[in-house]
Amino acid sequence: MEAGDGLDRSGVWNAEEVRLLGPAPVAVADRLMGSSWGGDETLLPIHIAVRVEGEVLYLGTGRVSRAGTSDGVLTDCEIRLESPLSREFLDRVRPLLPSGDLPGLEWLRHVNGGRVAALEEFITGWYPALTETDAEGVRPATTRTGPHVPDGLRQLYRLAEQRPGVLGVQNRILPETSLHTDLRGEMRIFGDESQGGFFWSLLWTLDEPEADPTVWFGEFDEELIAEQEPLSGFLIQFSLFEASMGADYLALSRRLTALQVEQITQALQPVPLRPFWPWVPTHFYVAPGLVMRISSEDGEEFDVWAGATHRCALNPLAGFPIDWLRFDG
């Protein structure tokens, strides 16, 4: 591979992972796919090298952790290095692209004073609008909203017309055409988890909807639980959660202590909203181009997940002695 960085090219992704983009010659594809799917144990190791200004730098050996195909052709492949790269060596074989303008934090000042503005500023800053080429063949995310859709959902549907990703990647906000009532006809379900494990709903009424209704969290036949923020705050939290989940660049840690969480959030700004998600109360912290969510069931051990629009947005986290499961900075 050539040294470099980008989403559209093969290269070193982080200190432990190399990503290859196809198509690949048949012999190469067969070799990598055999490794990926637990093929012949006697296969020779996969050796990885990067060309840097006419010099070939050897990275060591690796194993295929994932491979994708389309019509039998290898489209992409992830290789896990047997030995992680040092920071100095990583900077040589994966020189960073310029970051451009990172999404700012102007939206944060509106969170508890103008949530309509906060939601719109965050979404339009984080998600690029579809280009004419991107929009070709893409089914519109929504239709015109009806009279019984609350203003918050109406706003999100409007934003989704040019930014379909705002409706979610891990969890989702249902398009208006898919809104439906529960079996009792009492609640209107407007969002759910991708595997159907839980859902979010609003009290169903034929009258004009409340300006900022309570959001109810439910799973299977369990009693509904009210989210701590009404719809206006919930949609900001939902958007932050999904932005971090769907980001190209991630930082994922093993479970942290309260002291470690206090340390890594010092360089970030808290989002002033009550905890999201009754299952596992979740708080959000942000920096330009970065969203971090921190969750805990017991207040003693914490799960941390950060997503960024560019590698450099993860820099505030790089200096901490954290045992990262994945760090794309």
Side-chain angles (χ1 to χ4, degrees), residues 259-321:
L259 178 58
Q260 289 174 309
V261 167
E262 181 180 354
Q263 291 172 338
I264 66 172
T265 56
Q266 285 179 355
L268 309 177
Q269 294 193 46
V271 177
L273 293 169
R274 289 167 290 188
F276 172 67
W277 205 21
W279 253 3
V280 185
T282 299
H283 293 84
F284 297 94
Y285 294 80
V286 294
L290 172 73
V291 173
M292 175 184 286
R293 58 178 177 83
I294 299 177
S295 307
S296 177
E297 296 181 64
D298 57 14
E300 296 182 1
E301 291 187 318
F302 297 83
D303 291 319
V304 174
W305 180 299
T309 58
H310 191 275
R311 292 191 193 281
C312 71
L314 295 172
N315 286 346
L317 310 179
F320 295 100

Side-chain angles (χ1 to χ4, degrees), residues 114-130:
R115 290 180 175 177
V116 170
L119 181 65
E120 181 147 2
E121 288 184 19
F122 172 75
I123 285 176
T124 56
W126 188 275
Y127 295 94
L130 292 175

Side-chain angles (χ1 to χ4, degrees), residues 31-323:
R31 172 67 181 84
L32 294 174
M33 291 298 292
S35 174
S36 173
W37 298 109
D40 189 348
E41 294 290 340
T42 65
L43 288 175
L44 294 173
I46 299 172
H47 295 270
I48 304 166
V50 173
R51 185 181 292 108
V52 182
E53 298 178 350
E55 181 183 5
V56 175
L57 300 181
Y58 180 61
L59 275 61
T61 58
R63 57 181 177 80
V64 175
S65 58
R66 192 192 67 81
T69 61
S70 177
D71 296 327
V73 176
L74 184 70
T75 56
D76 58 281
C77 177
E78 295 175 4
I79 298 177
R80 194 80 173 171
L81 293 169
E82 299 289 352
S83 299
L85 305 177
S86 69
R87 184 77 226 187
E88 180 181 4
F89 197 70
L90 178 62
D91 289 341
R92 289 190 67 191
V93 298
R94 192 205 61 190
L96 295 182
L97 292 171
S99 64
D101 293 327
L102 294 174
L105 299 180
E106 293 79 8
W107 61 272
L108 198 56
R109 69 181 188 271
H110 298 305
V111 167
N112 283 322
R115 290 180 175 177
V116 170
L119 181 65
E120 181 147 2
E121 288 184 19
F122 172 75
I123 285 176
T124 56
W126 188 275
Y127 295 94
L130 292 175
T131 65
E132 290 187 9
T133 302
D134 293 333
E136 291 179 4
V138 175
R139 178 182 293 182
T142 63
T143 59
R144 292 291 180 183
T145 56
H148 299 294
V149 175
D151 289 343
L153 279 179
R154 193 188 308 274
Q155 178 194 20
L156 193 70
Y157 289 150
R158 177 177 58 79
L159 293 169
E161 291 177 3
Q162 286 298 312
R163 297 168 171 84
V166 306
L167 295 184
V169 292
Q170 172 65 25
N171 309 310
R172 60 177 182 162
I173 299 295
L174 302 176
E176 186 184 2
T177 53
S178 298
L179 299 181
H180 59 279
T181 58
D182 64 1
L183 294 177
R184 297 179 180 178
E186 297 174 349
M187 310 299 294
R188 197 176 198 192
I189 296 173
F190 70 92
D192 61 19
E193 192 261 343
S194 60
Q195 303 298 318
F198 57 82
F199 61 89
W200 287 289
S201 62
L202 304 170
L203 185 64
W204 172 238
T205 174
L206 294 176
D207 299 326
E208 286 294 320
E210 291 182 55
D212 198 10
T214 298
V215 175
W216 295 90
F217 173 91
E219 54 168 330
F220 308 113
D221 295 327
E222 299 293 327
E223 185 176 349
L224 297 177
I225 304 172
E227 287 280 355
Q228 295 196 44
E229 290 291 340
L231 184 63
S232 61
F234 168 87
L235 291 176
I236 294 173
Q237 294 172 319
F238 176 90
S239 298
L240 291 168
F241 188 99
E242 295 303 311
S244 70
M245 288 296 299
D248 292 314
Y249 305 99
L250 302 177
L252 318 178
S253 77
R254 300 186 188 278
R255 291 210 156 189
L256 302 185
T257 64
L259 178 58
Q260 289 174 309
V261 167
E262 181 180 354
Q263 291 172 338
I264 66 172
T265 56
Q266 285 179 355
L268 309 177
Q269 294 193 46
V271 177
L273 293 169
R274 289 167 290 188
F276 172 67
W277 205 21
W279 253 3
V280 185
T282 299
H283 293 84
F284 297 94
Y285 294 80
V286 294
L290 172 73
V291 173
M292 175 184 286
R293 58 178 177 83
I294 299 177
S295 307
S296 177
E297 296 181 64
D298 57 14
E300 296 182 1
E301 291 187 318
F302 297 83
D303 291 319
V304 174
W305 180 299
T309 58
H310 191 275
R311 292 191 193 281
C312 71
L314 295 172
N315 286 346
L317 310 179
F320 295 100
I322 300 296
D323 184 11

